[in-house]
Amino acid sequence: MTGSPRRTLLATAIALLAAVAPLTSPATAAPRAPAAADAPAALDLTASRAQWIDENTVAWDVRGDAASQELVYAHDGRLALKDGELAGKGQRIRLTPAAGGLTEAQREKYPHLKGYAAFTVDPRDRDRIRHALTGQLVATRSGADGTLLTATGVQTQGILDDLYAATATKASLGPRFRDGRPTLALWAPTAQTVSLELDGKRVAMRRDDTSGVWSVAGPRSWSGKQYRYVVKVWAPSVQKVVTNKVTDPYSTALTADSRRSIAVDLDDPKLAPKGWEQLRKPKAEPLRDAQIQELHVRDFSVEDRTARHPGQYLAFTDTASDGMKHLRELARAGTSYVHLLPAFDIGTIPERAADQAAPDCDLTAPAPDSEEQQACVAKTAAKDAYNWGYDPLHYTVPEGSYASDPEGTRRTVEFRQMVQGLNGSGLRTVMDVVYNHTVASGQADKSVLDKIVPGYYQRLMEDGTVATSTCCANTAPENAMMGKLVVDSLVTWAKEYKVDGFRFDLMGHHPKANILAVRKALDALTPKKDGVDGKKIVLYGEGWNFGEIADDARFVQATQKNMAGTGIATFSDRGRDAVRGGGPFDGDPGVQGFASGLFTDPNASKANGTPAEQKARLLHYQDLIKVALTGNLAAYTFTDSAGRRVKGSEVDYNGAPAGYAAAPGDALSYADAHDNESLYDALAFKLPADTTAAERSRMQVLAMATATLAQGPSLSQAGSDLLRSKSLDRNSYDSGDWFNALHWNCRDGNGFGRGLPPAADNKDKWAYGKPLLASPNLTPGCAEINGTSAAYQDLVRLRATEPAFSLATAGQVQSRLAFPLSGTGAETPGVITMELGDLVVVFNATPEAQRQSVGALKNRPYALHPTQAKGADPVVKSASYERSSGTFSVPARSVAVFKRG
């Protein structure tokens, strides 16, 4: 999971859930039946408990009889409750109870409303529906004596789709140009009026009653002009009719800090850097072969003294910088993609350098375990130039703070130059996209969508409040026009910016149908027609299952289990947790795993249990890693550590199936990402305190190897191959450059020992971290940093050149991949031996050399793989094979790959 200010709230919620069931990914919480104290007020216009789901039907969670039911609407928004009665001038639409409630089709479309009563709109009043939707709406029930029994606001997202979606989803929205002349179009079906504010004047816009789209055509002189829409609309969040001046949700360019949209044609040759039209891309790898580096634009270069454009898009054009040299090394080894953390318009960073705050103290002076650094960073965190960026303000404009000038179109040109720079270095570009929430909603300053069609683009709870399970204001891509915005935005990034892939934040909060619609739209892009081959664009995301939509409560979600077989990958936490140990929200961060010494090199933490408990957990972790090495295949069968023949789906992962994939490429493996502690920091907490820097380096490579050498794609946080540390910060979304910056030159260290991490998310772990930050064992030198990277690159190179790591089907994996020593007899705790076609891979996570005898391979000619035999790691070169007994000998804390001659 990823985030911004939401991170603390979301992490806290998950931690509370984990206290009940120890999950390591967002947990599924069953809906709680309201207690008597929770019963909603019968008369409350600030809530919206009735839902108008289609032209004929209102769904309402009410019980008991009433003499009459009505929808009352008022354009002036002055309906109010006074002395138990509805006051104000309004017009009425009659409702009749529908026998049997919602129809089967309606229950299937709105499963969360299946227990609601249904009311039918009187046919005589249906000609007033469109008019009614442009004002305040109240649903009422009255007794035979006229007493008002129930009154509530009305949610309208369902009927808006029913009335307008068929036409509106085909409309072209935002600025469009033809022969240099712009047309501006905005979907605002509930607005009473919409006009265009441009050049200090208001220009009337025309409404299309079929689609609900307002539009206006202008002269060529409008090109490059700043504009906003002026929208008069009923706003339930403030219970009044408001006139909002709001930017275009389909903006293609913005002024600094997103104050105004700019009418820009992205096809204008002036916005194309030299060579843009002829851009040659590196070879496209199938998703199952993707080796991905996850990278933050600012982290990449802000402290790179060799970069000419620190912290900017243009740093990726600095071909002589240390950072770009390192990326080219990774590309030559076989890394295929750079995944950029959010680079769309972000709502939490001042875009002008002059407006950005910076720590006003000497951060280098305090001790490595001091509280002073984090305190100084925290003072300016809200106004500095740093944020991960999971705070979308405008979805389809590059973030301005990464541009040399945030005003106007420099950001467009420079984003394109960044893509050119990465492509020219042999790397395709993936963009992290966040369509599951907005930075704000309602009438808040940074709300956009909800100021235009209130209550539509945001997902609403049963009472009409905005859902915040992602910690911010959730969006509703299940609604047609939010789903369209997702598709349209991604097509723009693909066509106009030549982005090669997309990673979806909290993809499980999207309907599966929405993500498949994205895939279909991208597949339709062709080099001849669009300048890009959409079929080669990769898609993957976080398929976590939690929140108000958990377990397909409102729609079939784009979760891990549901996306299997679609060709769209989901992050797999199974191998990650087994390799690292424990989970992201453990009270004691010393809980060990396969690559952090569980049982074989125990630390002092009592949370690990007795030796017998450690051994049992380690062997189960090894089963989880074996499933991960198959690509998390559900149907793959093998012998588990208890000697049972099981499928991947039958191996337990905190109560869920470990294996869920249908084919290699459905699951993405990783040992670390921007969320939670970096791999080095996790191992710092978990390995015994006296573990040397050299030994830590070897365990880092071993942990990364479990993802790199698995079937299917793998991702690594940039800098992990250089032992990247964030000084133990488990949530560095707003921790500034001090804790986040990448250090490409080993003489600058790896980021460890920069003080205790920020208190807001880490203070409860300070007692564990303080002695570590002061320990010389955890400060690696150039030998360890460069050695780790070189050994990792050997593994990436080996994976990229051996076809056995790129099996295309589950059947091929079943027939060619095996774990010959699994079971109760020959399995060694802390060692996994994998046979893969002509290869044998031994992961030895123990502190001693290990011998693995595979009788079935006796007398076959194996030798250490040439890539490792001639590679950078001197220790692994001592690995050997004894042909007469079929025994593979592997040094401590090493992964060795043997090849049959």
Side-chain angles (χ1 to χ4, degrees):
M1 294 168 52
T2 44
S4 53
R6 70 185 175 110
R7 297 284 299 140
T8 302
L9 296 172
L10 189 52
T12 300
I14 296 167
L16 291 172
L17 290 167
V20 180
L23 301 180
T24 56
S25 302
T28 299
R32 180 171 63 91
D38 299 324
L43 304 178
D44 183 4
L45 302 192
T46 64
S48 296
R49 298 186 179 277
Q51 299 201 30
W52 200 347
I53 61 172
D54 59 38
E55 191 172 8
N56 300 314
T57 313
V58 173
W60 197 353
D61 190 15
V62 289
R63 302 290 181 271
D65 295 328
S68 64
Q69 303 79 204
E70 295 177 322
L71 293 175
V72 185
Y73 65 96
H75 273 212
D76 61 10
R78 294 181 181 177
L79 296 176
L81 292 169
K82 186 175 181 180
D83 299 327
E85 299 295 332
L86 188 65
K89 294 181 64 175
Q91 295 177 275
R92 299 172 186 272
I93 294 175
R94 291 157 287 192
L95 301 175
T96 304
L102 298 174
T103 66
E104 191 61 37
Q106 289 170 332
R107 289 175 183 151
E108 184 176 346
K109 186 173 183 180
Y110 300 102
H112 60 299
L113 305 181
K114 61 185 177 183
Y116 279 35
F119 298 89
T120 302
V121 176
D122 193 307
R124 294 170 294 179
D125 296 332
R126 288 179 190 163
D127 60 343
R128 294 187 285 125
I129 290 176
R130 281 177 166 80
H131 186 60
L133 289 167
T134 61
Q136 180 185 14
L137 269 170
V138 176
T140 67
R141 299 170 74 235
S142 301
D145 61 355
T147 301
L148 188 62
L149 302 175
T150 317
T152 185
V154 182
Q155 297 184 35
T156 60
Q157 57 270 41
I159 183 148
L160 291 178
D161 278 352
D162 189 46
L163 290 178
Y164 297 109
T167 305
T169 52
K170 298 173 185 175
S172 295
L173 300 177
R176 340 189 279 283
F177 283 77
R178 185 172 182 178
D179 297 327
R181 297 177 182 274
T183 297
L184 299 168
L186 178 74
W187 187 67
T190 63
Q192 295 179 9
T193 63
V194 178
S195 58
L196 179 70
E197 182 186 82
L198 183 143
D199 271 347
K201 300 176 182 178
R202 290 192 185 181
V203 181
M205 299 181 72
R206 180 182 60 83
R207 173 190 164 100
D208 176 70
D209 288 336
T210 304
S211 65
V213 173
W214 299 71
S215 62
V216 61
R220 286 186 174 88
S221 62
W222 282 10
S223 180
K225 290 292 179 68
Q226 301 175 15
Y227 70 97
R228 290 186 300 185
Y229 296 116
V230 182
V231 182
K232 184 179 180 182
V233 67
W234 162 256
S237 63
V238 291
Q239 291 287 292
K240 62 183 179 181
V241 175
V242 296
T243 299
N244 289 322
K245 294 183 177 182
V246 62
T247 48
D248 192 338
Y250 274 73
S251 293
T252 54
L254 295 160
T255 62
D257 294 323
S258 313
R259 298 298 183 189
R260 300 282 194 283
S261 302
I262 306 175
V264 164
D265 182 0
L266 293 178
D267 291 330
D268 186 337
K270 295 176 183 175
L271 303 183
K274 184 179 179 181
W276 181 245
E277 294 303 319
Q278 298 78 36
L279 178 62
R280 293 176 63 102
K281 289 192 168 290
K283 178 185 175 184
E285 298 286 353
L287 180 57
R288 69 175 184 274
D289 290 338
Q291 297 293 299
I292 305 164
Q293 287 282 303
E294 183 198 58
L295 185 62
H296 184 276
V297 172
R298 187 172 174 87
D299 290 355
F300 172 66
S301 60
V302 73
E303 288 197 10
D304 184 350
R305 292 185 296 274
T306 64
R308 292 185 295 114
H309 304 90
Q312 297 181 11
Y313 296 123
L314 290 178
F316 294 91
T317 69
D318 295 338
T319 56
S321 72
D322 288 343
M324 286 306 295
K325 287 177 181 177
H326 193 79
L327 290 186
R328 286 197 298 274
E329 286 180 8
L330 292 171
R332 285 192 290 269
T335 298
S336 43
Y337 291 88
V338 161
H339 159 156
L340 299 170
L341 265 66
F344 47 66
D345 183 42
I346 300 166
T348 47
I349 301 177
E351 291 189 331
R352 296 181 186 276
D355 299 330
Q356 297 166 353
D360 61 356
C361 48
D362 181 0
L363 295 170
T364 65
D369 61 343
S370 171
E371 298 179 20
E372 293 181 38
Q373 298 94 326
Q374 64 84 32
C376 183
V377 168
K379 289 178 183 177
T380 56
K383 297 181 180 179
D384 67 5
Y386 195 87
N387 199 287
W388 277 349
Y390 292 89
D391 305 304
L393 186 50
H394 295 87
Y395 285 116
T396 323
V397 182
E399 163 60 16
S401 69
Y402 301 146
S404 61
D405 183 355
E407 192 73 39
T409 55
R410 285 310 307 165
R411 60 178 85 184
T412 299
V413 177
E414 291 174 6
F415 190 103
R416 288 169 166 175
Q417 288 177 287
M418 174 179 67
V419 173
Q420 280 182 312
L422 287 167
N423 288 176
S425 296
L427 295 158
R428 289 192 156 225
T429 307
V430 170
M431 199 176 163
D432 202 327
V433 291
V434 188
Y435 295 102
N436 64 81
H437 67 256
T438 53
V439 69
S441 64
Q443 289 297 113
D445 180 52
K446 293 182 179 178
S447 174
V448 176
L449 294 167
D450 214 20
K451 285 183 176 178
I452 297 168
V453 193
Y456 178 85
Y457 284 102
Q458 316 291 159
R459 183 178 298 128
L460 303 183
M461 299 299 285
E462 287 75 6
D463 62 356
T465 57
V466 175
T468 57
S469 58
T470 64
C471 114
C472 301
N474 294 5
T475 61
E478 65 270 26
N479 296 341
M481 295 304 285
M482 183 62 209
K484 171 182 168 61
L485 175 57
V486 173
V487 174
D488 290 349
S489 176
L490 290 167
V491 167
T492 299
W493 286 113
K495 283 179 60 175
E496 304 295 349
Y497 293 93
K498 302 188 181 183
V499 173
D500 305 297
F502 300 99
R503 176 267 194 193
F504 291 88
D505 180 65
L506 298 183
M507 188 169 71
H509 269 56
H510 287 255
K512 176 180 178 179
N514 178 233
I515 302 300
L516 293 180
V518 169
R519 179 75 274 170
K520 182 178 180 181
L522 294 176
D523 286 349
L525 302 178
T526 66
K528 183 177 181 180
K529 176 172 60 75
D530 307 292
V532 296
D533 186 347
K535 289 186 171 68
K536 293 180 179 177
I537 292 173
V538 299
L539 300 178
Y540 57 95
E542 294 179 305
W544 315 135
N545 176 38
F546 72 102
E548 72 284 351
I549 42 72
D551 299 325
D552 302 332
R554 297 196 180 202
F555 46 77
V556 177
Q557 302 161 257
T559 50
Q560 288 172 326
K561 68 182 181 70
N562 289 342
M563 295 308 291
T566 65
I568 299 166
T570 55
F571 284 83
S572 173
D573 39 3
R574 279 68 165 153
R576 176 202 68 186
D577 289 350
V579 167
R580 293 161 69 108
F585 308 109
D586 293 334
D588 181 346
V591 178
Q592 292 177 287
F594 176 78
S596 56
L598 180 64
F599 181 68
T600 65
D601 195 12
N603 61 28
S605 173
K606 295 181 180 179
N608 285 306
T610 66
E613 290 169 335
Q614 290 190 40
K615 181 179 179 180
R617 193 165 82 252
L618 175 59
L619 290 173
H620 182 66
Y621 278 162
Q622 291 181 199
D623 287 339
L624 288 173
I625 293 170
K626 290 169 196 170
V627 174
L629 289 168
T630 72
N632 268 94
L633 295 176
Y636 180 85
T637 59
F638 70 107
T639 301
D640 70 6
S641 57
R644 301 168 299 191
R645 194 69 182 170
V646 296
K647 295 179 180 179
S649 60
E650 294 170 340
V651 177
D652 177 70
Y653 173 70
N654 298 321
Y660 63 83
D666 284 349
L668 183 146
S669 299
Y670 67 116
D672 79 338
H674 65 278
D675 273 321
N676 311 311
E677 293 91 351
S678 67
L679 178 58
Y680 184 85
D681 289 344
L683 295 179
F685 277 125
K686 298 172 185 298
L687 286 168
D690 61 356
T691 307
T692 67
E695 291 168 331
R696 292 176 187 278
S697 164
R698 302 201 63 74
M699 295 303 267
Q700 183 97 354
V701 174
L702 179 80
M704 296 176 77
T706 61
T708 303
L709 301 182
Q711 298 295 315
S714 73
L715 175 143
S716 174
Q717 182 179 205
S720 282
D721 65 309
L722 297 169
L723 302 178
R724 181 185 186 180
S725 168
K726 298 180 183 179
S727 207
L728 304 179
D729 192 348
R730 61 176 171 172
N731 184 20
S732 68
Y733 80 92
D734 201 21
S735 299
D737 299 328
W738 180 250
F739 290 100
N740 282 287
L742 275 157
H743 306 283
W744 301 109
N745 189 319
C746 65
R747 291 189 294 275
D748 296 326
N750 70 330
F752 193 80
R754 291 196 150 207
L756 286 164
D761 290 309
N762 299 280
K763 192 170 185 178
D764 61 332
K765 301 293 188 296
W766 277 5
Y768 298 98
K770 191 172 178 64
L772 298 174
L773 292 169
S775 171
N777 286 339
L778 281 95
T779 305
C782 281
E784 291 81 25
I785 292 172
N786 293 338
T788 302
S789 184
Y792 168 72
Q793 288 181 42
D794 282 346
L795 293 175
V796 172
R797 188 173 294 109
L798 196 156
R799 194 234 187 268
T801 55
E802 284 292 346
F805 291 110
S806 179
L807 302 178
T809 68
Q812 290 174 352
V813 176
Q814 185 68 64
S815 64
R816 300 193 63 188
L817 190 156
F819 301 101
L821 300 183
S822 287
T824 57
E827 181 120 20
T828 304
V831 183
I832 296 174
T833 299
M834 176 175 71
E835 184 181 358
L836 180 60
D838 291 338
L839 306 175
V840 171
V841 184
V842 180
F843 301 88
N844 177 14
T846 75
E848 296 90 26
Q850 297 287 346
R851 288 167 56 85
Q852 298 285 285
S853 297
V854 185
L857 301 181
K858 187 167 58 175
N859 295 321
R860 296 187 184 180
Y862 284 92
L864 187 65
H865 196 283
T867 298
Q868 288 189 303
K870 299 175 184 177
D873 183 355
V875 175
V876 81
K877 291 179 182 179
S878 67
S880 62
Y881 171 67
E882 186 180 282
R883 184 169 179 171
S884 61
S885 62
T887 300
F888 301 87
S889 297
V890 178
R893 298 185 169 101
S894 298
V895 55
V897 181
F898 299 85
K899 186 169 185 176
R900 189 163 61 202

